[in-house]
Amino acid sequence: MPKLKSNSGAKKRFTLTGSGKIKRKHAYHSHILTKKTKKRKRNLDHFAIVEAVDVRRVKEMLVL
């Protein structure tokens, strides 16, 4: 059986933490920033953890 390929888009968007959780960035922080408040932009700046229901799907894309 051939090796499975990782989804190259997923490789760029997700990273693993030391404890094995999957880290992701927030959406809506790339453009049209003038109408968004400072607080909203600041909160979008932090990383988030992928929700439990999506972990299996992301791991399949990353071939973990």
Side-chain angles (χ1 to χ4, degrees), residues 20-58:
K21 294 177 184 169
I22 302 171
K23 221 165 43 165
R24 67 171 177 84
K25 286 197 80 171
H26 284 281
Y28 308 111
H29 192 58
S30 57
H31 60 96
I32 315 176
L33 298 172
T34 50
K35 63 174 81 170
K36 294 171 187 156
T37 62
K38 288 179 185 178
K39 180 180 179 180
R40 185 172 164 193
K41 288 185 281 190
R42 186 171 61 244
N43 289 334
L44 290 171
D45 216 17
H46 305 297
F47 282 96
I49 302 296
V50 172
E51 293 295 325
V53 293
D54 298 319
V55 168
R56 187 169 151 245
R57 193 175 351 170
V58 174

Side-chain angles (χ1 to χ4, degrees), residues 5-6 10 14 17 23 28 35 37 48 55 61 63:
K5 287 191 174 184
S6 296
F14 300 104
T17 63
K23 221 165 43 165
Y28 308 111
K35 63 174 81 170
T37 62
V55 168
M61 286 193 284
V63 189

